[in-house]
């Protein structure tokens, strides 16, 4: 199983990126963290530079206004899908992903996991 990249990871336990990381790990998924804040979540280090690795899924916790600098990076990873969690929806990026045969998913990672849709 290829891992999930959590983009917008933060060591703040009140944030959904943190909660999603813990839940992904608890559900047996390998997780790679990428964010601007230093730290770790559940023993997993948050990368502050773009990790180059194979991923199946990118789950976004970065608002649409801050996503453009990540477009080329995410496209270079060639994930199967990108999950746009609530508040991260971005029609421009969704269309770009489709042009590169990457599935944009408008959903909540936490809900997907708890309803066996992940």
């Amino acid at each position: 199983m290829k891992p999930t990249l959590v983009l917008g990871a933060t060591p703040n336990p009140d944030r959904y990126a943190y909660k999603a990381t813990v839940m992904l790990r608890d559900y047996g998924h390998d997780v790679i963290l990428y964010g601007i804040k230093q730290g770790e979540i559940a023993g997993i280090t948050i990368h502050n530079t773009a990790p180059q690795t194979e991923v199946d899924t990118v789950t976004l916790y970065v608002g649409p206004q801050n996503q453009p600098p990540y477009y080329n990076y995410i496209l270079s990873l060639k994930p199967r899908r990108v999950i746009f969690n609530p508040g991260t929806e971005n029609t421009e990026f969704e269309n770009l992903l489709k042009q590169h045969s990457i599935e944009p998913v408008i959903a909540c990672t936490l809900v997907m996991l708890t309803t066996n849709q992940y």
Side-chain angles (χ1 to χ4, degrees), residues 6 15 59 73 103 106 118:
V6 177
R15 305 295 296 191
T59 184
Y73 168 64
E103 178 187 11
I106 311 304
Y118 198 85

Side-chain angles (χ1 to χ4, degrees), residues 9 11 33-39 45-51 70:
L33 304 178
Y34 181 21
I36 59 172
K37 305 238 172 138
Q38 294 185 348
T45 300
I46 299 171
H47 295 276
N48 301 127
T49 57
Y70 298 106

Side-chain angles (χ1 to χ4, degrees), residues 74-86:
I74 292 171
L75 293 173
S76 76
L77 296 175
K78 299 179 182 164
R80 177 175 60 91
R81 64 184 176 178
V82 173
I83 300 172
F84 290 83
N85 287 280

